[in-house]
Amino acid sequence: MHQTSMSGRSEGIGGLVDALIGKMRNVRVPFGGRYMIQFRDREHEAGLFFREVLRYSGLGFIYGPYGAGKTTFLSTMAQVINSINQPTGILIVYMNFTRDAIQAELPRGLISRRDEIVSKLEGMVRVNVPIGPSPGSISIDLGQVLDAARYIIKAILDKYRNSTSDVENLVIIYDGLDDFLKERVGVNSYIILSTKASFFANSLENPSRDLWGELTGKAKKILFAVSDQAAMKVAETLISKAKALTTPYLFWSLPKAAFECVVKDVADLTGASSDIDVKLLWNLMGGNVRELEYLALRYGWVVDKWLRARVVDFLTGFMSNEELNWLIESGQRVMRTELKRDEQFVGQPDAVALNDLYVEQNPLLRRLFELNILLRVNIPMTEPLSELPSEPWIGEHYAYQLPAYYWALRAMIEGRKVNVEAGSILKAIEENVK
């Protein structure tokens, strides 16, 4: 496999990281589409991204909880690096796929072609809308999928043909493509994601001048930022085949101190009372800014309303009391015989899931992952971008995407019933958090 590294630029990269972090500290980012707040505390991730993620060519999957801040981090980083006036040697093409639209954060030279690039990306999925009441059909053209990938590379080469000597590392980021495709084509979405990822894996392993042109000998990183756990099956398949140094990068929600600062900023902006319990919000959200948006803007800082709507109603809708009893018995057995822990089972993530085979054999556990309540944090070859906090909702192998899921499940287990009230969840936190 042809590989190009950035190791020769280590000193330059160190200076670039410092400049990048300095600029990112001054960036303000949207909150809930109405307010602007300070971008906070991603120096650790920024440093690792440039020193480790871009150290060698290959394919990467940045994964983590919904609302952890992947999009904010990646788009901000792309915006900042593309705005630096002096040559950096790094060219970032960032594409954010939302359910309603595709947005692109492009280097200056490609901004004029934004509409063409977006049109090509939209062409991956064609929705045929009929005249009359019959439902529309969705067709997948895998040729169009590959054309969209090739077109972006062609656009880069056309624009930078006379200056590719200044480009030492090309970074192409597909952010949220998993959700975008899932919304558009449902169960067939991963065919498209797998096709695109496999195309890039093959093109990185066997770089052709017909495709890459003057960038053939340059370092290239293709990154997919995903939140849906099923999307990571694509990554695991490529890892099992040892394709293009495929690497998962774990990205987590904000650290506690940074999250508390964001809570206070948002409280000031929204005119909330000064007695907001930031410690409680940490134990419910664990640094998840998207859930803070729901609490502050949709539910007016009323924690009980947020808990009922976002957690309790969601969890109680897919589990029966019989399944809960099975989970209690299974969890206690796993704690005792597999994990060798002399403690009561209260929903510890590693005791719930145990391993992937155990999950696949149990419909209830599969639903926990399909609904993105639990996620795996130690997919083979994973390199953490974020430092995970030491909290009961995060295990060695598995974690809850939202701490409130852990506390809700714990309240169910201790009460031995699925239907729990928000007060029971808050009581579980109060009794067990020092």
Side-chain angles (χ1 to χ4, degrees):
M1 173 179 172
H2 180 88
Q3 282 294 321
T4 307
S5 80
M6 296 179 64
S7 57
R9 298 184 62 242
S10 58
E11 292 183 5
I13 286 295
L16 177 61
V17 170
D18 291 342
L20 174 68
I21 290 173
K23 280 182 170 286
M24 290 176 81
R25 288 194 184 108
N26 297 320
V27 171
R28 297 181 69 79
V29 296
F31 181 88
R34 180 179 176 184
Y35 302 101
M36 299 297 289
I37 61 174
Q38 190 71 38
F39 182 83
R40 290 188 182 275
D41 199 29
R42 290 299 189 184
E43 287 92 342
H44 181 80
E45 286 85 349
L48 284 177
F49 187 90
F50 283 97
R51 292 190 178 95
E52 295 300 324
V53 178
L54 302 189
R55 188 166 50 85
Y56 53 88
S57 292
L59 198 66
F61 286 78
I62 299 176
Y63 77 105
Y66 280 99
K70 296 183 292 296
T71 292
T72 300
F73 171 73
L74 292 170
S75 61
T76 300
M77 185 179 59
Q79 174 190 344
V80 168
I81 200 72
N82 287 335
S83 70
I84 294 177
N85 291 322
Q86 68 268 29
T88 64
I90 299 174
L91 198 62
I92 296 184
V93 176
Y94 167 84
M95 292 154 287
N96 177 25
F97 295 76
T98 69
R99 293 186 175 185
D100 302 318
I102 301 173
Q103 300 168 339
E105 180 62 51
L106 304 172
R108 284 192 181 95
L110 287 180
I111 289 176
S112 63
R113 301 187 69 168
R114 186 193 307 272
D115 291 345
E116 298 172 49
I117 290 172
V118 169
S119 177
K120 276 288 183 182
L121 294 170
E122 285 277 8
M124 289 188 299
V125 179
R126 296 197 306 274
V127 182
N128 301 315
V129 182
I131 298 174
S134 59
S137 63
I138 295 174
S139 60
I140 302 172
D141 185 339
L142 295 182
Q144 283 282 83
V145 173
L146 300 185
D147 282 348
R150 293 188 186 100
Y151 182 82
I152 290 169
I153 297 170
K154 182 178 182 299
I156 294 168
L157 288 172
D158 287 348
K159 196 64 187 179
Y160 294 91
R161 189 172 302 280
N162 297 322
S163 58
T164 51
S165 59
D166 296 330
V167 178
E168 297 189 43
N169 196 289
L170 171 65
V171 186
I172 299 177
I173 303 173
Y174 291 88
D175 184 3
L177 182 59
D178 55 327
D179 264 357
F180 174 82
L181 295 174
K182 188 176 180 180
E183 180 75 13
R184 297 287 183 98
V185 300
V187 294
N188 293 318
S189 62
Y190 301 111
I191 296 174
I192 299 178
L193 182 62
S194 178
T195 297
K196 185 174 283 288
S198 297
F199 164 77
F200 278 119
N202 290 328
S203 70
L204 290 170
E205 286 193 327
N206 304 287
S208 162
R209 288 194 68 86
D210 289 341
L211 176 67
W212 294 107
E214 292 83 352
L215 294 170
T216 301
K218 308 292 185 176
K220 296 172 282 291
K221 198 78 171 197
I222 314 299
L223 297 169
F224 294 88
V226 301
S227 295
D228 193 281
Q229 287 301 286
M232 290 306 295
K233 294 295 183 184
V234 174
E236 292 185 61
T237 299
L238 292 169
I239 291 169
S240 69
K241 296 178 180 178
K243 297 289 288 184
L245 299 180
T246 300
T247 305
Y249 300 98
L250 181 60
F251 188 99
W252 210 253
S253 301
L254 280 175
K256 187 175 183 178
F259 180 68
E260 290 177 348
C261 289
V262 171
V263 171
K264 291 174 182 177
D265 287 350
V266 174
D268 289 342
L269 286 170
T270 58
S273 62
S274 59
D275 60 348
I276 290 175
D277 190 341
V278 292
K279 181 178 179 182
L280 173 63
L281 296 189
W282 167 255
N283 279 281
L284 289 172
M285 300 176 183
N288 192 303
V289 176
R290 185 179 300 172
E291 291 301 330
L292 181 64
E293 288 181 350
Y294 274 100
L295 174 67
L297 303 182
R298 184 166 181 177
Y299 299 106
W301 294 98
V302 181
V303 171
D304 283 19
K305 286 184 178 180
W306 173 84
L307 261 178
R308 170 57 63 183
R310 299 291 294 167
V311 179
V312 176
D313 290 348
F314 179 50
L315 289 180
T316 56
F318 75 90
M319 181 165 46
S320 66
N321 283 321
E322 289 76 17
E323 287 177 317
L324 176 63
N325 288 331
W326 174 86
L327 182 63
I328 293 171
E329 294 173 6
S330 168
Q332 194 58 55
R333 183 178 64 255
V334 168
M335 290 287 289
R336 184 176 61 254
T337 63
E338 301 292 338
L339 302 182
K340 309 297 183 185
R341 295 185 191 172
D342 186 22
E343 56 185 280
Q344 188 71 21
F345 171 68
V346 290
Q348 295 91 331
D350 286 349
V352 170
L354 182 60
N355 57 50
D356 288 355
L357 178 61
Y358 191 63
V359 170
E360 286 299 318
Q361 293 173 341
N362 294 279
L364 172 62
L365 301 184
R366 286 203 304 273
R367 291 203 297 275
L368 289 173
F369 284 86
E370 289 167 358
L371 295 171
N372 295 296
I373 293 168
L374 277 172
L375 79 164
R376 187 176 174 187
V377 295
N378 72 333
I379 292 171
M381 305 294 292
T382 291
E383 293 185 13
L385 276 180
S386 303
E387 295 179 304
L388 271 62
S390 178
E391 298 286 2
W393 56 83
I394 297 176
E396 182 179 349
H397 305 290
Y398 301 94
Y400 290 91
Q401 290 223 23
L402 201 61
Y405 293 153
Y406 164 74
W407 293 112
L409 190 59
R410 178 165 185 158
M412 292 177 187
I413 291 168
E414 292 178 339
R416 300 193 76 90
K417 63 178 182 180
V418 169
N419 292 320
V420 296
E421 298 297 326
S424 301
I425 300 172
L426 297 175
K427 182 180 179 183
I429 295 174
E430 182 182 354
E431 291 178 347
N432 292 281
V433 174
K434 297 179 181 179

